[in-house]
Amino acid sequence: MAQHFTEAEWQQIETHLNAALAVDPKAYGLPERRDGSVVLMSWNIRKFGALTDRDGPKKSPGAMRMIERIAAHADLLSIQEQQEKTGALEALVTALGPDYDVIYSDVTGRSPGYRGMSERFAFLYRHDHVRLGHLASDLSYDRTAIAANMNEALKASFDTSVPGEDDPGYLERLMAWVQNTTQMVGAQFSTFVQFIRSPHLVEFVIEGPEGRYEIYAINAHLVSGKKRERQQEFFALLEWLLHDSRKTVSERGKIIMIMGDLNMDFDTSNDRRRIGIENYVTSINAKRKLDAKVNFPFLDGNFNTNARRTQTYDHIAWLADDTRLPRGRHNDLAGTLGSDQFDYGMFDFTQLFVEAGPGRMPDGTPDYARFAHDLSDHLPIWVRLPLPAADQRRFTTT
């Protein structure tokens, strides 16, 4: 493994960032904290767990300072890849000071006695603008639904793997199928059964001078397997939320806010992903007599959110009837309405490391190996919303 940045190199990076921010407070996409708005952020912080192990610090002091610096720009930060051990998270909260607090889920993605792809989901929030609500829950399917999904998956697997009884290889293929499926390998199934890691929902209330946002924040890290698996999990999550929107959004006025690593690369472009989502939402709305309104702004903004800047894995998106939140047709207004108004973006630390020097290879390309493990292989993304006020802008359909 390549050597991580040295302490001197981290200081060089910090000096470069300070100088850049002095010239442009929005340098590299780092959002300013402003009195009249809130910044909602999501970040997959790679293997964010214990502070140390037998080999020393899990993340270098420089990486921890950078994580602290980024987190300090958020009023609400959704963290993925929070590991079972929470030493680094607790150190982060302590470093940020008494204005911050944290809530996180139990470990998900494994069963007792099995390792699995397990992690926690964490939310870090500032008390002055964000208040913890009353609800916290995993999103999952009950036993009846899982059994139905499993039966459907097994039937689909059988139909595609085992020939008819008159086929000479029927018995051999049947026995092979039985032996294979008893291993319960999810990747073998062609239909959705259950989330690999149950998304976690926490209610947050953002108070303003006049009014509030009541947000059901969904922290999710969907499967990173084959294209088919990614697509199944994403649309299963979207369908779950669309069905729930009748009572949470339409009746109770809540805002469902997805803040996570959705591993969306199951189409060849963001335009195709956006069209696919729009068609799916339209279909579910018609089928279930819903009127859910969904906005995935990062599919409009040409943001590639992994550190290599090749995929838009990470998203902050919402289902809402609240006209204080923009619809998809309004995304091109981001950053044009005023300093405390709707905006969204991404902190591109890859570009920072290249331009500062330590993250640049001799040919000028990023030296990912030096920071992808120590800091992260994902870039933090953010959305800015104005604090609720009686006269704030409304995004209408006209």
Side-chain angles (χ1 to χ4, degrees), residues 33 97 380:
R33 291 203 72 258

Side-chain angles (χ1 to χ4, degrees), residues 5-158:
F5 296 147
T6 65
E7 178 60 22
E9 287 173 325
W10 273 115
Q11 291 179 13
Q12 180 181 341
I13 290 167
E14 291 163 2
T15 299
H16 180 90
L17 179 58
N18 290 340
L21 292 172
V23 175
D24 177 6
K26 299 181 289 185
Y28 299 105
L30 189 64
E32 288 185 286
R33 291 203 72 258
R34 298 170 183 158
D35 292 338
S37 56
V38 288
V39 173
L40 312 179
M41 187 179 289
S42 183
W43 191 12
N44 179 328
I45 308 177
R46 187 168 185 167
K47 294 188 176 179
F48 196 52
L51 267 178
T52 62
D53 60 16
R54 61 186 179 185
D55 298 321
K58 296 281 284 184
K59 291 189 180 294
S60 69
M64 285 297 296
R65 288 197 305 273
M66 183 59 69
I67 292 169
E68 177 189 342
R69 183 167 192 165
I70 294 168
H73 285 253
D75 294 281
L76 175 63
L77 170 60
S78 173
I79 300 173
Q80 299 85 51
E81 286 207 34
Q82 171 60 52
Q83 305 295 285
E84 179 177 7
K85 294 183 178 180
T86 58
L89 179 62
E90 291 160 9
L92 174 61
V93 176
T94 299
L96 289 169
D99 289 338
Y100 286 83
D101 210 338
V102 69
I103 184 171
Y104 51 81
S105 72
D106 197 358
V107 178
T108 183
R110 73 176 187 192
S111 299
Y114 297 87
R115 290 182 60 85
M117 302 290 290
S118 60
E119 63 185 80
R120 300 180 189 272
F121 294 118
F123 287 103
L124 182 74
Y125 60 99
R126 283 184 62 107
H127 299 139
D128 52 354
H129 284 163
V130 181
R131 175 169 58 82
L132 188 64
H134 299 297
L135 178 63
S137 174
D138 288 339
L139 269 61
S140 62
Y141 286 75
D142 65 21
R143 185 171 63 178
T144 300
I146 292 174
N149 289 345
M150 181 67 76
N151 288 337
E152 183 180 351
L154 287 171
K155 182 180 184 303
S157 174
F158 183 90

